[in-house]
C-alpha cells in the first residue's frame, strides 16, 4: 500500500485521526513486532514522518502518518532499502508520482571452498562468516516450506543461533539440501542417519584435538584449530568415497531403491503379491519361480 494524504473529518473522525505514539505502536505491532517507540522517534528525526505537535509538545499522528510508517517499515523488512532511498520514494509519492519499481533482493550467501576433487577443502571448515538470516529470510532463500523447516528443527538437523534466533550458513546449506533430497522422496526423519554419523565423526576429531588444546604454550589453541580444519576435510573424503563405492558396486541396491523409495513400511495386506510362474519350472533351481525373477522362464 502506497501512503497518501488521508482526509480528516473533524466532526466524525477527528478523535480517531489523531493518535499518540503509544496508539500508533499498538497498530503497527501485529505486522511489525520489532518496532519500538525509539524506532518511531528515529524515523521522525530522519524526516520520514512529520506528526503534528500539541502546544505541550506531544506528538499526534494521523492515519496518513501511520500509512507512511507502514511503508517505511515494509521497505526495510522486505526489500532492505536504506532510509535515504525510502525517503526518495516518499518524496515522489508526496509530489503525486509513482515510486520507482523495486527489484526483489535476495541475501547473498558465501560460497563453500572446494578442493580439486570437488569435496570441501580445509578452508571451507575454517570459514567464519557473519551471515544471519531471519526465519522468514531462510524460508525465502532456501525455498522451503514452514512445515519442512519445523521438521528439520524437530529432528535436530538445524537450529537457530542461541540468543538471536537467526540462522547461519550451515543452516541454509542443510535446508537447501533437504529440499533437494525431498525431490527423491527423502524426509527429514531419513536424514537423522547423517546427523548421527556426523556426531560420531565430531567425537573422534575432538578426541584427537583435545591433547593439543591442553598445551601450555601460547600457540596451542591455534594449532588445535588448524588441526580441526585439516582433519575435518580429510574425514569427509573416506565418507564420500565409501558411499560412492558402495552405490557404484551394488546395482541391485540401486534397482531396489528405485522400486522402493524411502517411506513408511506398507501394511502386509497392501504389499505386492508374488505371482508364481505357471508355465514351467525355473531353469536354475527346478522349482516354481516368480515371474519377476531373472531366471524365470517367462523372462527369457
Amino acid at each position: 500500500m502506497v501512503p497518501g494524504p488521508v482526509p480528516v473529518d473533524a466532526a466524525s473522525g477527528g478523535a480517531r485521526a489523531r493518535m499518540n505514539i503509544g496508539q500508533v505502536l499498538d497498530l503497527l505491532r501485529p505486522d511489525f513486532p520489532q518496532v519500538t517507540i525509539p524506532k518511531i522517534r528515529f524515523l521522525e528525526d530522519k524526516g520520514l514522518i512529520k506528526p503534528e505537535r500539541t502546544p505541550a509538545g506531544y506528538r499526534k499522528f494521523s492515519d496518513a502518518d501511520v500509512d507512511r510508517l507502514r511503508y517505511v517499515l515494509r521497505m526495510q523488512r522486505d526489500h532492505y532499502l536504506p532510509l535515504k532511498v525510502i525517503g526518495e520514494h516518499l518524496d515522489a509519492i508526496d509530489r503525486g508520482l509513482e515510486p520507482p519499481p523495486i527489484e526483489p533482493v535476495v541475501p547473498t550467501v558465501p560460497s563453500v571452498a572446494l578442493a580439486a576433487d570437488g569435496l570441501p577443502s580445509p578452508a571451507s571448515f575454517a570459514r567464519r562468516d557473519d551471515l544471519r538470516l531471519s526465519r522468514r529470510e531462510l524460508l525465502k532463500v532456501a525455498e522451503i516450506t514452514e512445515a519442512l523447516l519445523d521438521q528439520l528443527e524437530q529432528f535436530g538437523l538445524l537450529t537457530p543461533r542461541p540468543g538471536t534466533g537467526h540462522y547461519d550458513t550451515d543452516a541454509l546449506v542443510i535446508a537447501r539440501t533437504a529440499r533437494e533430497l525431498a525431490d527423491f522422496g527423502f524426509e527429514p526423519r531419513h536424514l537423522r542417519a547423517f546427523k548421527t554419523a556426523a556426531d560420531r565423526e565430531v567425537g573422534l576429531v575432538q578426541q584427537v584435538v583435545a591433547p593439543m588444546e591442553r598445551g601450555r604454550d601460547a600457540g596451542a589453541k591455534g594449532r588445535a584449530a588448524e588441526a580441526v580444519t585439516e582433519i575435518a576435510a580429510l574425514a569427509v573424503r573416506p565418507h564420500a568415497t565409501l558411499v560412492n563405492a558402495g552405490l557404484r558396486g551394488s546395482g541391485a541396491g540401486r534397482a531396489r531403491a528405485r522400486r522402493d523409495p524411502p517411506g513408511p513400511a506398507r501394511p502386509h495386506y497392501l504389499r505386492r503379491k508374488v505371482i508364481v510362474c505357471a508355465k514351467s519350472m525355473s531353469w536354475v533351481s527346478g522349482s516354481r519361480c516368480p515371474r519377476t525373477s531373472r531366471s524365470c522362464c517367462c523372462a527369457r
Side-chain angles (χ1 to χ4, degrees), residues 11-235:
S12 60
R16 175 66 182 87
R18 294 292 182 266
M19 297 162 279
N20 60 38
I21 195 168
Q23 293 171 323
V24 172
L25 187 65
D26 292 338
L27 289 176
L28 297 175
R29 274 279 170 82
D31 296 327
F32 307 97
Q34 305 299 326
V35 69
T36 60
I37 289 179
K39 172 73 171 182
I40 296 175
R41 292 172 178 167
F42 172 76
L43 296 177
E44 180 187 3
D45 292 339
K46 293 296 182 180
L48 299 177
I49 55 173
K50 298 178 181 179
E52 295 183 0
R53 293 273 188 165
T54 65
Y58 293 103
R59 298 174 179 84
K60 289 297 181 180
F61 296 82
S62 66
D63 289 340
D65 293 326
V66 176
D67 288 342
R68 291 174 73 90
L69 277 171
R70 289 184 184 276
Y71 184 84
V72 172
L73 296 173
R74 189 171 65 254
M75 292 299 105
Q76 283 189 311
R77 182 193 64 188
D78 298 345
H79 301 284
Y80 312 98
L81 295 183
L83 293 180
K84 181 180 179 181
V85 175
I86 298 176
E88 295 173 355
H89 286 200
L90 292 174
D91 180 66
I93 294 170
D94 292 339
R95 292 184 288 115
L97 304 175
E98 288 292 329
I102 302 172
E103 297 181 358
V105 177
V106 178
T108 57
V109 181
S111 58
V112 178
L114 300 178
D117 55 4
L119 297 175
S121 66
S124 67
F125 290 94
R127 168 182 48 80
R128 295 293 184 271
D129 58 67
D130 295 326
L131 181 69
R132 294 180 299 170
L133 296 174
S134 66
R135 187 178 184 87
R136 177 175 180 157
E137 291 169 342
L138 179 63
L139 294 173
K140 180 178 180 180
V141 177
E143 299 178 352
I144 62 174
T145 62
E146 187 86 29
L148 179 56
L149 180 54
D150 289 339
Q151 292 183 52
L152 291 175
E153 292 181 334
Q154 176 185 351
F155 292 111
L157 296 168
L158 61 83
T159 54
R161 288 182 176 181
T164 65
H166 289 94
Y167 297 86
D168 56 14
T169 305
D170 296 334
L172 176 57
V173 172
I174 292 174
R176 280 181 167 175
T177 305
R179 186 248 303 165
E180 294 173 358
L181 286 173
D183 296 337
F184 296 91
F186 284 87
E187 299 177 9
R189 61 190 177 90
H190 299 131
L191 305 183
R192 287 183 295 178
F194 298 99
K195 179 68 166 59
T196 302
D199 291 340
R200 291 175 179 173
E201 293 178 10
V202 169
L204 290 175
V205 175
Q206 289 176 340
Q207 290 180 11
V208 174
V209 176
M212 301 182 186
E213 293 180 337
R214 291 194 294 265
R216 297 183 179 180
D217 57 304
K221 290 187 176 180
R223 289 195 301 272
E226 184 177 354
V228 166
T229 60
E230 293 286 345
I231 297 173
L234 292 173

